[in-house]
């Protein structure tokens, strides 16, 4: 079969194109259309062109939400990447009881965001929460810290809970990546007298280059869509301390009943996610689809 496109190949990509058009392209085009309307979602709509786009940053709330979203992206990558990498490497090894420990590590993957949000809300409650009681027993803090009600701590705590939820998924990616590394590389390093840490930095990390890129893209683009967990934990508060862009979009569209302004934020989120993915793949060279096995 030649490398050109024939009718069989066009036929095989039709389901993917239809799926993309129905569930991605069409909703995005509708969001662009709604962004030009003044509409509360129920009554008659009025076309106002680019007026909503001119007003979106007028009161500073959207700009504040963008700053918080960037902070969540950075915190998510910092919390999730190193821990996921180390857990993935550990779980890919041959240590005793590794499989049993792996089951506990992956438990957060089994829970919905709502269940995780409700559970952590109780655990972090300043009156009867388990976290404050545990810290007080260790003589750390005053035992009634309002973790989710403190404007200086809320975003950090929310980012840590998000990390707790998604670290198991990224650990699976790294575990799969480590299992692809040939044992001959480690055997050669052992013969040369390399230590465990030398093998990690000289073999494991370079071989996981594209796994790290894939995980990073998923973390950064996924950070743009965090909504349900934040909604359950803080509802964007205290004040607007955790009102990230997705939460601001929800409030504008369904609380303030301004569908046009909410659609503007939806378009900004979508464009930011696409640009972030393209730029990450472009500058990391991942889109060249080279072999992951460095030097082989």
């Amino acid at each position: 079969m030649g490398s050109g496109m024939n009718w069989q190949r066009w036929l095989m990509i039709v389901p993917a194109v239809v799926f993309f058009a129905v569930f991605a392209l069409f909703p995005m085009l509708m969001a662009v259309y709604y962004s030009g309307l003044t509409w509360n979602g129920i009554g008659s709509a009025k076309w106002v062109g680019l007026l909503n786009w001119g007003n979106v940053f007028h009161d500073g709330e959207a700009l504040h939400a963008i700053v918080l979203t960037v902070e969540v992206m950075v915190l998510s990558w910092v919390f999730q990447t190193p821990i996921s990498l180390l857990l993935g490497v550990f779980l890919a090894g041959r240590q005793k009881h590794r499989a049993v420990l792996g089951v506990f590590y992956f438990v957060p993957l089994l829970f919905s965001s709502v269940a995780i949000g409700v559970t952590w809300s109780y655990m972090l409650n300043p009156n009867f929460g388990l976290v404050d009681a545990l810290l007080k027993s260790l003589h750390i803090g005053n035992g009634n810290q309002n973790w989710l009600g403190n404007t200086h701590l809320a975003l950090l705590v929310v980012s840590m809970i998000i990390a707790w939820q998604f670290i198991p998924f990224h650990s699976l990616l790294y575990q799969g990546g480590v299992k692809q590394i040939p044992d001959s590389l480690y055997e050669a390093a052992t013969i040369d007298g390399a230590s465990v840490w030398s093998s990690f930095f000289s073999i494991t990390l370079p071989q996981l280059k594209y796994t790290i890129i894939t995980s990073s893209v998923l973390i950064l683009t996924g950070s743009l869509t965090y909504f349900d967990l934040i909604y359950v934990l803080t509802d964007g508060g205290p004040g607007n301390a955790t009102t990230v862009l997705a939460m601001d979009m929800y409030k504008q569209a369904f609380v303030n009943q301004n569908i046009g302004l909410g659609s503007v934020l939806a378009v900004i989120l979508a464009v930011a996610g696409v640009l972030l993915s393209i730029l990450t793949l472009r500058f990391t060279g991942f889109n060249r689809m080279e072999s992951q096995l460095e030097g082989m």
Side-chain angles (χ1 to χ4, degrees):
M1 185 177 289
S3 58
M5 294 294 291
N6 51 36
W7 70 269
Q8 293 95 336
R9 291 180 175 177
W10 283 112
L11 184 62
M12 285 189 287
I13 67 173
V14 165
V17 172
V18 171
F19 187 89
F20 174 77
V22 172
F23 293 102
L25 186 59
F26 178 71
M28 181 50 58
L29 292 177
M30 289 302 297
V32 173
Y33 170 70
Y34 286 142
S35 69
L37 299 177
T38 294
W39 187 34
N40 62 7
I42 300 176
S44 59
K46 179 183 178 182
W47 176 258
V48 293
L50 299 177
L51 181 63
N52 290 324
W53 287 88
N55 293 334
V56 67
F57 298 116
H58 182 70
D59 57 4
E61 288 187 13
L63 188 60
H64 177 71
I66 291 175
V67 172
L68 292 183
T69 303
V70 173
E71 290 182 18
V72 170
M73 291 169 63
V74 174
L75 290 173
S76 295
W77 192 92
V78 170
F79 288 149
Q80 295 182 41
T81 298
I83 299 176
S84 300
L85 176 59
L86 293 177
L87 281 178
V89 172
F90 170 73
L91 294 173
R94 299 186 176 87
Q95 297 86 350
K96 193 176 181 180
H97 305 311
R98 173 185 53 80
V100 177
L101 293 173
V103 172
F104 290 104
Y105 293 149
F106 298 140
V107 164
L109 280 179
L110 305 177
F111 299 143
S112 68
S113 296
V114 174
I116 291 173
V118 172
T119 302
W120 277 102
S121 295
Y122 280 106
M123 291 177 65
L124 295 172
N125 189 288
N127 299 316
F128 52 81
L130 178 63
V131 173
D132 274 330
L134 180 62
L135 291 176
K136 187 176 181 179
S137 67
L138 298 173
H139 303 290
I140 300 175
N142 53 17
N144 58 358
Q145 176 65 52
N146 191 355
W147 300 97
L148 296 174
N150 187 319
T151 55
H152 301 292
L153 293 176
L155 190 69
L156 178 66
V157 174
V158 167
S159 299
M160 294 177 72
I161 296 173
I162 291 172
W164 182 85
Q165 180 183 14
F166 289 104
I167 280 175
F169 170 76
H170 294 281
S171 297
L172 278 177
L173 295 181
Y174 288 115
Q175 183 183 6
V178 172
K179 285 183 175 294
Q180 294 182 41
I181 301 175
D183 291 336
S184 57
L185 294 179
Y186 294 106
E187 292 169 358
T190 302
I191 294 174
D192 291 340
S195 65
V196 173
W197 286 108
S198 296
S199 298
F200 176 76
F201 287 108
S202 302
I203 298 175
T204 306
L205 270 185
Q207 298 296 331
L208 290 177
K209 172 184 175 183
Y210 293 131
T211 307
I212 295 173
I213 294 172
T214 301
S215 175
S216 298
V217 170
L218 292 175
I219 291 173
L220 296 177
T221 56
S223 301
L224 296 172
T225 63
Y226 293 150
F227 166 75
D228 44 5
L229 185 58
I230 297 176
Y231 178 80
V232 175
L233 285 170
T234 64
D235 193 21
N240 57 358
T242 57
T243 303
V244 295
L245 205 52
M247 178 64 69
D248 194 31
M249 175 189 68
Y250 165 78
K251 288 186 174 181
Q252 292 292 350
F254 300 107
V255 177
N256 299 335
Q257 296 185 321
N258 191 335
I259 300 297
L261 207 53
S263 298
V264 171
L265 296 175
V267 174
I268 291 174
L269 268 175
V271 172
V274 172
L275 287 179
L276 189 61
S277 300
I278 293 175
L279 291 176
T280 305
L281 298 179
R282 176 77 177 177
F283 287 108
T284 56
F286 184 76
N287 55 338
R288 291 194 293 269
M289 300 299 290
E290 296 171 339
S291 171
Q292 183 176 348
L293 301 181
E294 295 285 344
M296 298 191 71

